[in-house]
């Protein structure tokens, strides 16, 4: 059945390490998004992509990077430059509505 | 600066009664508004939306009201059920922008429905 798959569910990052969060969708959506949720706060947009091989920065892109080589996939890399990476990361895709994956909880060791 | 605000972090309501969640926005370019429901450690699920050309949209137990002049919207849940206990996010979008999926979210309201 169609949906958005995020992996892993939980991820731990050591200081100075880059980590990559996976997001795959089989909804045939052109547009994909990465949001971050911190406790007690709303979701904030990190990056988005409207089409393959193209992406734009959202409101909080510093310390993150993305790629969009395939329509189905939109991985997010949290680089060592992101000084406060602990958060719940949500991937989404949109046709006429915005659908979210189940999220990845990233924590720092 | 936060363009979408949910000023009530929590709401407790008895089962069978009405839940009213409020949301205010500041950006007059927003023309599409959504409510999402979220359980812990899960992604948000779409609940209901409203376009700025309407002032009310109803879907079963859920009704969203929009007051454009006040830049205010509200979600009514009638009657409230225990399964409605979750965090509810208000979100807004300017569909005229390059990607309407670029939503601005409020901080959320935790709803607890008690027996």
């Amino acid at each position: 059945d169609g949906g958005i798959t995020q992996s892993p569910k939980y991820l731990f990052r050591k200081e100075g390490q880059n980590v990559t969060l996976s997001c795959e969708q089989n909804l045939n959506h052109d547009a994909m998004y990465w949001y971050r949720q911190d406790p007690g706060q709303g979701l904030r947009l990190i990056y988005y992509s409207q089409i393959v091989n193209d992406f734009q920065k959202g409101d909080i892109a510093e310390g993150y990077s993305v790629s969009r080589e395939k329509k189905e996939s939109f991985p997010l890399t949290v680089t060592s430059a992101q000084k406060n990476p602990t958060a719940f990361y949500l991937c989404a895709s949109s046709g006429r509505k915005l659908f979210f994956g189940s999220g990845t909880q990233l924590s720092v060791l | 600066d936060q363009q979408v605000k949910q000023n009530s972090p929590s709401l407790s309501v008895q089962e069978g009664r009405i839940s009213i969640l409020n949301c205010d926005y500041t950006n007059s370019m927003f023309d599409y508004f959504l409510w999402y429901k979220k359980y812990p450690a899960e992604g948000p699920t779409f609940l209901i939306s409203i376009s700025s050309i309407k002032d009310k949209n109803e879907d079963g137990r859920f009704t969203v009201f929009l007051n454009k002049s006040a830049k205010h919207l509200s979600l009514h849940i009638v009657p409230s059920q225990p399964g409605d206990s979750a965090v509810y996010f208000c979100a807004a979008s300017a569909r005229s922008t390059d990607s309407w999926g670029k939503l601005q979210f409020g901080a959320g309201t935790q709803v607890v429905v008690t027996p």
Side-chain angles (χ1 to χ4, degrees), chain B residues 19-101:
Chain B
S19 294
I20 299 177
L21 290 75
N22 293 303
C23 178
D24 297 292
Y25 63 96
T26 57
N27 190 340
S28 55
M29 295 296 292
F30 290 149
D31 56 4
Y32 192 61
F33 305 89
L34 309 91
W35 286 92
Y36 281 85
K37 177 179 178 179
K38 185 180 181 300
Y39 295 114
E42 292 185 12
T45 54
F46 171 78
L47 203 55
I48 193 169
S49 63
I50 188 166
S51 163
S52 59
I53 62 173
K54 294 186 173 182
D55 54 18
K56 176 182 174 181
N57 189 27
E58 194 170 353
D59 184 1
R61 296 186 298 114
F62 302 94
T63 303
V64 56
F65 296 91
L66 175 62
N67 182 334
K68 288 189 293 292
S69 60
K71 293 191 177 70
H72 177 84
L73 63 155
S74 61
L75 174 68
H76 292 206
I77 307 173
V78 185
S80 299
Q81 299 174 353
D84 295 333
S85 296
V87 176
Y88 289 79
F89 289 100
C90 171
S93 172
R95 284 193 291 188
S96 55
T97 61
D98 59 344
S99 176
W100 77 265

Side-chain angles (χ1 to χ4, degrees), chain B residues 95-111:
Chain B
R95 284 193 291 188
S96 55
T97 61
D98 59 344
S99 176
W100 77 265
K102 292 166 57 182
L103 302 180
Q104 292 290 330
F105 283 84
T109 296
Q110 172 75 59
V111 173

Side-chain angles (χ1 to χ4, degrees), chain B residues 8-19:
Chain B
S8 297
S10 64
L11 173 69
S12 183
V13 62
Q14 267 191 316
E15 183 177 359
R17 307 294 286 267
I18 183 171
S19 294

